[in-house]
Amino acid sequence: MRAFEHIPETWRGFSSPYRIALPRTRTIARRALFPVVLCAGIAIPVLGFQLLGLRIGLTDSACPPGIYWMVNRAPSRGDLVLACLPDAIAQLGGARGYLLRGRGCGDGIEPVGKRFSALPGDSVEIMRDYVAVNGQRLEHSATLSRDSRGSSVRHVAWGRYTVQPGEVWLFGTKDARSWDSRYFGPVPASSVRAALEPVLTW
């Protein structure tokens, strides 16, 4: 064995580059696999949410943030609902940053979660300090003149309205900052897609 001691270690096939070849191959494989795992980790929950009819609510203007289940039934007064706002309203909300872009509505704006507050035949009173439906004031319903960026906000004219057939008024009653029917008025009843029930809130 002493006869081979003068031979450089590199020539014997035990050089450092040779020893790390296998781990390097594994590293490359792991790097190539990472995007696949990442895409699957995103796609599977998204697909699962769509198949199960689940939605994630991230704002608290009408409901606590959380996960909500879309229920295929006619909503009742006061229910939390998912709605696609009419194109002109949605485009205005998107341009001003009140609504997010996304899937779910034909105008490329995400549907909103609001309270199904006034139905055909109901009386809606819009005043500076409050909104009342059939004489009952809604909490946190004062109308703001400016948004959080300091821009002026248009609202419906002060006064009392009777909800017409085929129309509904949608409000967010958990936060005074909610952009809802006190600003853009009634929307077609067909705008409502489903009732929402909480699965998990925080």
Side-chain angles (χ1 to χ4, degrees), residues 59-81:
T59 63
D60 60 357
S61 65
C63 60
I67 299 173
Y68 291 81
W69 179 37
M70 292 189 295
V71 184
N72 188 18
R73 63 169 173 78
S76 302
R77 184 183 289 103
D79 280 354
L80 181 67
V81 297

Side-chain angles (χ1 to χ4, degrees), residues 31 120 130 172 180:
R31 288 178 180 172
Y130 67 88
D180 52 33

Side-chain angles (χ1 to χ4, degrees), residues 140-179:
H140 307 301
S141 59
T143 301
L144 303 179
S145 59
R146 294 190 177 276
D147 62 21
S148 58
R149 299 176 180 176
S151 301
S152 61
V153 183
R154 294 181 60 183
H155 58 80
V156 299
W158 311 128
R160 184 170 296 171
Y161 301 83
T162 298
V163 184
Q164 299 301 307
E167 292 182 344
V168 295
W169 290 62
L170 305 175
F171 293 102
T173 57
K174 283 188 63 63
D175 193 318
R177 297 169 299 171
S178 173
W179 191 64

Side-chain angles (χ1 to χ4, degrees), residues 20-36:
I20 67 172
L22 184 58
R24 181 181 295 172
T25 303
R26 289 178 180 171
T27 300
I28 293 173
R30 288 173 182 168
R31 288 178 180 172
L33 187 61
F34 178 74
V36 176

Side-chain angles (χ1 to χ4, degrees), residues 7 39 42 62 111 125 147 164 175:
I7 300 176
C39 290
I42 295 173
E125 187 177 7
D147 62 21
Q164 299 301 307
D175 193 318

Side-chain angles (χ1 to χ4, degrees), residues 96-107:
R96 301 200 69 164
Y98 304 153
L99 304 177
L100 298 177
R101 298 200 61 82
R103 301 177 60 185
C105 298
D107 48 28

